[in-house]
């Protein structure tokens, strides 16, 4: 079974340019997460989707970041315009469901490493 | 508020030595989950273990073992007879249980483990 797929794996852009990251979750997983991982830190949740609905985007900097999951499957995270401080790894994860009486594991993709010059 | 502290930023040991990675957590919830993830140089987060807050029984899996102590809010991870392939960054993490919190994972800052041949 294929895992979480992310592309591109690496991206180098100049500041003020737009950038987009794509994630395809594991088939059948209706919950999708985007995490930000700064150098030397653990991942931090940016946004969580249940199907096509963003149910937790409290940590997403909405002035420059946006995300969508139009058909409830794959998702795109966009930054416009990018700033130097956005250099980080952007991780996508998926799970069968979130919350509830039993725990459903989150499976992580390899991430996209963004460098803003 | 939830918090995970991994005081050891970096650890370096010689192959075949035993090594323990410390993790201390804070939460007001009575029901929660604790995790350990491994992040090799490839960048993908690899799930190692999940423990429910009601289950304090220690666990052993091959060369890996985990010591969960609610009295000290600790969830330490020991690698016995370490190998070079164990070199990675290890993250301890915490998640609330139940629908309201919906599986948000709080990660520690990670411990970089280097195993020297």
């Amino acid at each position: 079974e294929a895992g979480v797929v992310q592309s591109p794996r690496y991206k180098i852009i100049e500041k003020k340019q737009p950038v987009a990251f794509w994630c395809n979750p594991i088939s059948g997983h209706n919950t999708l997460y985007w995490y930000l991982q700064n150098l030397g830190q653990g991942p931090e949740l940016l946004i969580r989707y249940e199907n096509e609905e963003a149910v937790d985007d409290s940590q997403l900097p909405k002035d420059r970041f946006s995300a969508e999951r139009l058909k409830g499957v794959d998702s795109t995270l966009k930054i416009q315009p990018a700033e130097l401080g956005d250099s980080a790894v952007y991780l996508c994860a998926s799970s069968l469901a979130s919350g509830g009486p039993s725990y459903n594991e989150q499976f992580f993709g390899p991430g996209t490493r963004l460098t803003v010059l | 508020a939830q918090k995970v502290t991994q005081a050891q930023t970096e650890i370096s040991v010689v192959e075949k030595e035993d090594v323990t990675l410390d993790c201390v957590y804070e939460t007001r919830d009575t029901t929660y989950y604790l995790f350990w993830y491994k992040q090799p140089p490839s960048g993908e987060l690899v799930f190692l273990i999940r423990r429910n807050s009601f289950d304090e029984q220690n666990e052993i899996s091959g060369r890996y073992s985990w010591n969960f102590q609610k009295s000290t809010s600790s969830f330490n991870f020991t690698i016995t007879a370490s190998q070079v392939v164990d070199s990675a960054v290890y993250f301890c993490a915490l998640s609330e249980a139940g629908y309201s919190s919906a599986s948000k994972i709080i990660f520690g800052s990670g411990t970089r483990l280097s195993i020297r041949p």
Side-chain angles (χ1 to χ4, degrees):
Chain A
E1 179 181 342
V4 176
V5 179
Q6 291 188 248
S7 69
R9 289 295 312 277
Y10 304 91
K11 188 72 176 180
I12 302 174
I13 61 172
E14 295 189 348
K15 63 181 180 181
K16 300 185 181 179
Q17 294 298 306
V19 65
F21 315 124
W22 177 79
C23 172
N24 192 30
I26 293 173
S27 179
H29 283 191
N30 55 7
T31 305
L32 184 147
Y33 312 77
W34 281 104
Y35 287 85
L36 164 68
Q37 186 176 15
N38 286 306
L39 184 64
Q41 299 295 319
E44 299 175 26
L45 181 69
L46 286 173
I47 189 168
R48 175 173 61 87
Y49 281 94
E50 294 287 351
N51 298 304
E52 64 275 8
E53 182 182 0
V55 296
D56 183 359
D57 63 354
S58 57
Q59 302 302 311
L60 189 72
K62 298 179 182 63
D63 56 338
R64 296 183 300 107
F65 286 66
S66 64
E68 60 183 16
R69 194 186 184 199
L70 295 176
K71 297 182 179 179
V73 180
D74 56 347
S75 175
T76 302
L77 177 69
K78 298 178 181 178
I79 308 175
Q80 182 171 6
E83 297 179 351
L84 295 177
D86 296 330
S87 295
V89 175
Y90 293 83
L91 292 164
C92 180
S94 70
S95 68
L96 281 171
S98 58
S102 61
Y103 192 88
N104 291 302
E105 299 302 341
Q106 293 183 31
F107 295 86
F108 286 83
T112 296
R113 182 176 296 276
L114 173 67
T115 301
V116 182
L117 303 176
Chain B
Q2 295 182 315
K3 184 179 179 181
V4 176
T5 301
Q6 295 179 255
Q8 304 152 309
T9 305
E10 294 190 36
I11 299 176
S12 180
V13 300
V14 176
E15 196 172 22
K16 299 183 182 178
E17 288 186 10
D18 298 347
V19 58
T20 296
L21 308 182
D22 297 332
C23 174
V24 175
Y25 63 92
E26 297 176 28
T27 180
R28 297 178 181 175
D29 298 305
T30 57
T31 305
Y32 50 89
Y33 296 99
L34 295 166
F35 308 81
W36 276 95
Y37 285 86
K38 175 182 180 179
Q39 189 172 45
S42 61
E44 191 164 344
L45 278 169
V46 178
F47 168 81
L48 295 178
I49 189 172
R50 168 173 52 86
R51 301 298 288 177
N52 184 299
S53 55
F54 294 117
D55 183 2
E56 286 192 72
Q57 187 173 10
N58 292 330
E59 183 159 336
I60 297 174
S61 177
R63 296 183 297 105
Y64 294 172
S65 62
W66 291 270
N67 184 355
F68 177 24
Q69 293 192 348
K70 289 181 74 172
S71 60
T72 56
S73 297
S74 64
F75 186 43
N76 296 337
F77 172 31
T78 298
I79 301 175
T80 303
S82 60
Q83 300 176 2
V84 173
V85 294
D86 296 327
S87 297
V89 179
Y90 290 84
F91 291 96
C92 181
L94 167 70
S95 176
E96 297 171 331
Y99 276 115
S100 61
S101 57
S103 303
K104 178 177 180 177
I105 298 180
I106 305 297
F107 287 85
S109 56
T111 296
R112 181 176 298 277
L113 177 63
S114 297
I115 310 298
R116 308 189 305 274

